[in-house]
Amino acid sequence: MSKKPIILGIESSCDETAASIVTENEEGTPEILSNIVSSQVNIHKEYGGVVPELAARSHIEKIDWIVEKAINKSGVSLNEIDAVASTAGPGLVVCLSVGLSFGKALAMSMKKPFIAVNHLEGHALSPKLNSSINYPYLFFLISGGHSQYLCVKNLGTYKRLGTTIDDALGEAFDKTAKLLGVEFPGGPQIEVLADKGDSNRYELPKPILNKGGCNLSFAGLKTAVLKIAKELKTDQEKFDLAASFQKTINEILLKKTQNAMKEFEKIVKVEKKKLVTAGGVAANKRIRKTLIDLCKKENYECIFPPINLCGDNAAMIAMVGLEKFKLKEFNNLDYPVKPRWALDESAVFLKGAGVNLK
Ligand code: KG4
Ligand code: ZN
C-alpha cells in the first residue's frame, strides 16, 4: 500500500488567512483533514472595503499560528507532509507575498516540493473536494474580484468564454448592499433582505443582455440601484429593492449561462456535460436554484462546492496542490507573486470604456 500524498495549502491573497491539510483515501477521493480560515472582516469593516496594508499586517501576525493550527488539527505531523502549496496570485501583492514566502520557506526547511497555485484554479477545483468530477467541464467563477465563464479542458488548461467588462458579481452585491445601508461585506445579506421583499417592485436594467455572448456587465445595474436607493423611505422599499436586484441578477445569469453553454458545446463534445459554479457568490441560494433549473433543462450536471468552501479557503489551494503533486508539477523557490495571474493567459483584456462587444 503506497503512502497517500499529504498536502499543506496556504491562502493569503486578500482578507482571509487560511491553511489546510488535504490528502486522499484508498479510492483516490480527496479528504480534508483540516481547514482553518481566519477572516479579517472586523479589521476592514469600518473602511467599507479591504485595506491592503492592514490586510498584509494581519496575515503576517497570524500566518504561523494558522498553519500550526491546521497541522495540529489534521492529526498528521510536520514531517509527514509531502508538499507545500501556496497561492501565488491573483490578488493583492502585499497579501500574496505573506503566504507565498511562508510556504516557500517552510518547503525549503522541510526539503519538500513547493507548488505555486493560482487562486482561481483553487475555486475551479473546489467542488472536487466533495464530488468526483472529470475534465472537461464548464466553469462559472463568481467571486468578489472575478466573474468568468471558462472551459476547463484539463488541470491548468483553460479557455475563457466570457468575463465581466466592469464589476465582478460579488462586487455588485457588495456595492448594492452598501447602498442599502448594510455593513461590508454585505453580499450575503442581500439574500436575507430579498426574502422579505417583492422582486417585481422595481424594474432594473440588464446591461449587455442581448449582445456580447456570455460576457457580463453589472455597472449600469449598480447606477440604477443608486438612484432608487436615494429615494427609499421605508424598510419594505429596501427589501423590495434587494429582491428586485437579486431577481435581475438571476435573469442575467440565466441568459448568459445559456450562452456560455452554447460556446462550451462548440469547443468540447462530451456525453455528460457539467457546469461547475464556484467562488463566494456561489453560496447564494437563489442563484443556485436558477442554475440547477437551467442545468435540468439543458441536460447538464450542476455542481457546486459545499457552502463553506465557496468563499476563500486553503483546502481548495491544497486540492490544486494535490493534483499537481501527482503530476510532479513543482515550482522553484524563486516563483514570483503574480497579482494579475489569469487562468487563460491568452484571453484579451476586456475592461473599461472602449470595449466593443458584438
Ligand atoms: O470567493 P470570495 O470569498 O473572494 C474572492 O476571491 O473574491 O468571494 C467573496 C464575494 C463577496 O463579494 C461576497 O459579498 C460574495 O462573495 N458573497 C455573496 C454571498 N456570499 C458571499 N454574494 C451573494 N450572496 C451570497 N450568499
Ligand atoms: Zn476567491
Side-chain angles (χ1 to χ4, degrees):
M1 194 175 68
S2 63
K3 178 188 179 297
K4 291 292 172 193
I6 298 175
I7 311 294
L8 165 65
I10 298 174
E11 157 64 33
S12 70
S13 64
C14 191
D15 59 343
E16 260 96 25
T17 319
S20 166
I21 302 281
V22 167
T23 186
E24 61 180 19
N25 65 20
E26 286 307 312
E27 287 77 48
T29 310
E31 213 177 299
I32 302 175
L33 299 181
S34 64
N35 184 26
I36 311 293
V37 182
S38 170
S39 167
Q40 303 175 358
V41 164
N42 288 333
I43 296 175
H44 304 291
K45 212 154 55 183
E46 65 177 292
Y47 305 97
V50 177
V51 184
E53 172 68 21
L54 297 182
R57 278 193 216 180
S58 174
H59 286 310
I60 292 167
E61 277 164 21
K62 286 191 281 191
I63 189 89
D64 49 353
W65 66 265
I66 292 289
V67 170
E68 193 178 9
K69 201 168 164 186
I71 296 171
N72 290 343
K73 195 148 183 234
S74 72
V76 304
S77 60
L78 189 61
N79 58 17
E80 285 177 282
I81 293 169
D82 294 295
V84 182
S86 286
T87 304
L92 299 164
V93 180
V94 284
C95 295
L96 288 163
S97 305
V98 179
L100 188 66
S101 305
F102 193 92
K104 285 175 181 175
L106 192 58
M108 186 171 73
S109 67
M110 289 158 57
K111 298 189 173 54
K112 294 287 166 68
F114 170 73
I115 301 165
V117 175
N118 183 314
H119 176 88
L120 309 181
E121 187 157 45
H123 281 302
L125 267 59
S126 59
K128 287 192 168 215
L129 287 158
N130 75 322
S131 43
S132 83
I133 311 164
N134 298 324
Y135 300 106
Y137 54 82
L138 173 60
F139 175 43
F140 187 25
L141 170 64
I142 37 176
S143 70
H146 300 267
S147 299
Q148 296 179 12
Y149 292 101
L150 295 127
C151 169
V152 187
K153 295 180 183 168
N154 222 320
L155 181 71
T157 315
Y158 295 85
K159 166 119 184 76
R160 196 188 73 195
L161 308 175
T163 185
T164 175
I165 59 166
D166 40 57
D167 293 347
L169 185 53
E171 212 177 337
F173 267 92
D174 291 340
K175 286 177 178 172
T176 294
K178 201 171 177 180
L179 294 172
L180 295 179
V182 182
E183 257 184 0
F184 169 85
Q189 273 304 108
I190 291 282
E191 63 178 330
V192 179
L193 301 185
D195 275 349
K196 297 184 252 180
D198 170 7
S199 62
N200 295 317
R201 171 93 179 243
Y202 300 103
E203 185 78 32
L204 297 169
K206 295 171 204 140
I208 68 166
L209 189 71
N210 295 314
K211 63 175 186 175
C214 61
N215 288 302
L216 299 153
S217 167
F218 302 110
L221 184 53
K222 177 192 64 200
T223 311
V225 169
L226 171 68
K227 276 191 197 145
I228 300 169
K230 277 186 185 157
E231 309 293 324
L232 294 184
K233 291 189 179 62
T234 65
D235 275 350
Q236 190 55 51
E237 284 173 344
K238 192 158 109 177
F239 303 149
D240 294 346
L241 185 52
S244 303
F245 168 80
Q246 195 170 248
K247 178 184 158 215
T248 308
I249 290 291
N250 276 280
E251 287 169 355
I252 296 170
L253 298 192
L254 177 67
K255 177 82 191 294
K256 293 293 180 176
T257 308
Q258 232 163 359
N259 293 352
M261 287 171 167
K262 284 188 200 130
E263 297 283 325
F264 175 73
E265 287 158 32
K266 277 188 218 158
I267 301 173
V268 293
K269 302 278 172 242
V270 275
E271 213 175 293
K272 289 187 177 160
K273 296 173 286 190
K274 294 175 281 275
L275 170 70
V276 168
T277 307
V281 188
N284 185 289
K285 292 181 198 67
R286 191 69 199 79
I287 292 176
R288 284 188 174 224
K289 185 171 182 321
T290 296
L291 297 176
I292 289 168
D293 291 347
L294 174 66
C295 282
K296 263 189 210 141
K297 186 167 160 262
E298 301 290 338
N299 198 22
Y300 271 68
E301 187 184 346
C302 195
I303 302 162
F304 299 94
I307 301 273
N308 69 322
L309 296 178
C310 283
D312 289 348
N313 65 85
M316 67 184 195
I317 304 304
M319 179 66 229
V320 178
L322 180 66
E323 293 219 346
K324 290 194 166 193
F325 181 84
K326 291 198 275 184
L327 298 170
K328 295 200 167 43
E329 281 186 26
F330 306 137
N331 297 101
N332 293 332
L333 294 177
D334 61 355
Y335 198 92
V337 168
K338 294 170 120 184
R340 299 179 70 94
W341 191 3
L343 280 178
D344 176 358
E345 293 187 287
S346 69
V348 291
F349 188 68
L350 259 195
K351 254 187 184 178
V355 170
N356 193 6
L357 296 171
K358 277 182 273 170

